[in-house]
Amino acid sequence: NAGVTQTPKFQVLKTGQSMTLQCAQDMNHNSMYWYRQDPGMGLRLIYYSASEGTTDKGEVPNGYNVSRLNKREFSLRLESAAPSQTSVYFCASSLRGPTDTQYFGPGTRLTVL
Amino acid sequence: GESVGLHLPTLSVQEGDNSIINCAYSNSASDYFIWYKQESGKGPQFIIDIRSNMDKRQGQRVTVLLNKTVKHLSLQIAATQPGDSAVYFCAENIGINFNKFYFGSGTKLNVKP
């Protein structure tokens, strides 16, 4: 069991470039989440997918899009990166809902110049 | 969003001592609380959770206390070990909603040998 995996681990973009962060889980979890973590701040929810085929906005969705490709994979896309999106991005999954334990991936450290 | 804060940004304890990490929350409608541990360069790891209908919950070497009257949450770690050195943060969930997770910024625990 690899748990939750994320790629890439590090990425540097120029303002205006686009990229997709990949996330996959092998625990047969129904729910998946994308968070960002900024220095000195708590995690903030960007988007979540309660089940395969559904996605919904979290606290800070602007500038991002997501795709729940199948039960295993949940990707996060930045269409036109901005310096304000410099952050560490974490993907997580849980078996059913918000009161089930969330398992986090190792994170992607993104810098936008 | 609602705020989840921590009283002490850094806590240093001697190996073998007990540690207490505190968290204040502001929304009396919060139903569910979680403590996470985050080691440097890694994703958050679930430690223990508690629902609002409980005052105390114990795990292995950890205890979470919930005081709803003053909206305060604490994590007690018994016999603190060097491997406990990490950032600890609490999170609250309001109304068992997917998109109502709010995370504190964290307390760094340093365990001195």
Side-chain angles (χ1 to χ4, degrees), chain B residues 8-74:
Chain B
L8 298 174
T10 304
L11 177 66
S12 292
V13 299
Q14 206 67 41
E15 181 180 357
D17 287 350
N18 296 335
S19 302
I20 300 175
I21 301 171
N22 297 302
C23 177
Y25 64 96
S26 58
N27 196 318
S28 56
S30 295
D31 303 281
Y32 177 63
F33 304 87
I34 315 122
W35 278 101
Y36 287 97
K37 173 185 180 183
Q38 188 174 21
E39 296 174 273
S40 181
K42 296 185 178 180
Q45 179 184 0
F46 171 90
I47 302 173
I48 193 167
D49 60 359
I50 189 168
R51 293 182 186 260
S52 58
N53 60 355
M54 302 171 69
D55 296 324
K56 179 180 179 178
R57 192 166 188 216
Q58 287 184 290
Q60 188 178 13
R61 281 201 308 119
V62 295
T63 301
V64 56
L65 299 177
L66 176 61
N67 186 330
K68 294 181 284 293
T69 302
V70 295
K71 298 201 224 31
H72 184 267
L73 192 68
S74 68

Side-chain angles (χ1 to χ4, degrees), chain A residues 14-82:
Chain A
K14 294 181 180 177
T15 297
Q17 287 185 316
S18 62
M19 79 160 295
T20 300
L21 281 64
Q22 307 286 353
C23 174
Q25 52 89 10
D26 61 1
M27 296 175 282
N28 202 36
H29 284 175
N30 289 307
S31 303
M32 298 185 74
Y33 313 78
W34 274 107
Y35 294 92
R36 61 179 287 173
Q37 185 176 41
D38 300 307
M41 296 181 67
L43 293 166
R44 289 183 292 169
L45 183 64
I46 305 171
Y47 270 93
Y48 68 95
S49 171
S51 61
E52 184 180 359
T54 69
T55 62
D56 284 287
K57 295 177 180 179
E59 185 184 356
V60 289
N62 291 345
Y64 306 95
N65 284 303
V66 290
S67 295
R68 184 74 184 268
L69 304 167
N70 47 55
K71 193 171 186 179
R72 290 186 65 247
E73 299 172 287
F74 188 37
S75 62
L76 178 71
R77 183 160 178 83
L78 286 71
E79 290 291 351
S80 179

